[in-house]
Amino acid sequence: MPRPRVYDPAQVLDAVEALAARSGPAAVTIRAVGEATGASNGAVYHGFGSRAGLIAAAWLRAAQRFLAVQRELVDAAPGAAEAVVAAADAAVVFADRDPDACRLLFALRLDELSEDDLPAQLSEQLRVAEGELAALLKQLAETLWQRRDAAAVDTITTCVVDLPTAIVLTRNRLGNACARAHLQAAVRAVLSVGPPPRKDPPL
């Protein structure tokens, strides 16, 4: 009986990113990844469980890399407001550093990765990644306004999630210097207004 071909899981995830970046997530199939890496279909299934598991594993790796870049930028920012601007700018920086991973990450939403088709450990890792972003949003709100309530976090979410999505991601303007300047200006404008006044809890 022939021995199964040995493959590098990182190489397989690289192939997922490259296929998704070139032709969209629909192009990522077990067969296509096998052809790109030399891994057998059976080996890929054994390693990742399913096509959904394969894509989710690649998405998770991209998300972890993005979160590391975002944290690096926030930690290097000279002040609280600039930390929010840096967090919003992370997608632009990530696209420059790791373009294929960036395309995969923002081509899919977390809620599109059905947990029904994923191993429990991978589902938990995806939830951890989502929690890391939520924790950062709360940290930024607290640093800037000494608040962690829903309204303050919602304002930070507008800056860090909604504005980058609207200005650079959905319009494919990640490499556009003017769009990047618009994004940074928009974030500063939102921060200048700030969140609505905190509502005191009922007595």
Side-chain angles (χ1 to χ4, degrees), residues 70 84 87-88 130 133-141 144-145 148-166 183 187 190-191 195:
Q70 191 171 54
V84 180
E130 185 178 27
L133 176 59
L136 178 63
L137 298 175
K138 291 178 182 178
Q139 175 197 320
L140 291 170
L144 194 57
W145 299 305
R148 295 171 66 94
D149 58 286
V153 175
D154 183 66
T155 302
I156 296 296
T157 303
T158 296
C159 295
V160 175
V161 178
D162 299 338
L163 288 176
T165 298
L183 170 61
V187 171
V190 171
L191 294 180

Side-chain angles (χ1 to χ4, degrees), residues 145-203:
W145 299 305
Q146 294 75 54
R147 293 173 56 177
R148 295 171 66 94
D149 58 286
V153 175
D154 183 66
T155 302
I156 296 296
T157 303
T158 296
C159 295
V160 175
V161 178
D162 299 338
L163 288 176
T165 298
I167 295 173
V168 297
L169 293 174
T170 59
R171 300 179 65 189
N172 194 27
R173 300 170 75 201
L174 278 166
N176 186 309
C178 186
R180 186 179 189 180
H182 288 168
L183 170 61
Q184 294 175 358
V187 171
R188 292 189 177 97
V190 171
L191 294 180
S192 71
V193 176
R198 179 164 33 196
K199 295 180 180 179
D200 293 329
L203 298 176

Side-chain angles (χ1 to χ4, degrees), residues 43-137:
V44 177
Y45 272 115
H46 179 74
F48 297 93
S50 65
R51 175 181 178 272
L54 176 63
I55 293 174
W59 190 94
L60 174 64
R61 187 181 69 163
Q64 291 169 334
R65 290 176 174 176
F66 170 75
L67 290 169
V69 169
Q70 191 171 54
R71 171 58 65 182
E72 171 195 332
L73 297 173
V74 167
D75 289 346
E82 289 306 306
V84 180
V85 175
D89 200 40
V92 178
V93 175
F94 188 53
D96 184 60
R97 294 187 187 180
D98 202 341
D100 284 355
C102 183
R103 289 190 185 97
L104 174 63
L105 180 64
F106 294 113
L108 290 171
R109 297 191 311 272
L110 184 59
D111 58 12
E112 293 178 298
L113 303 173
S114 173
E115 293 192 10
D116 295 339
D117 299 324
L118 304 180
Q121 182 180 9
L122 184 55
S123 295
E124 176 60 25
Q125 290 173 322
L126 289 168
R127 285 192 289 270
V128 168
E130 185 178 27
E132 287 182 21
L133 176 59
L136 178 63
L137 298 175

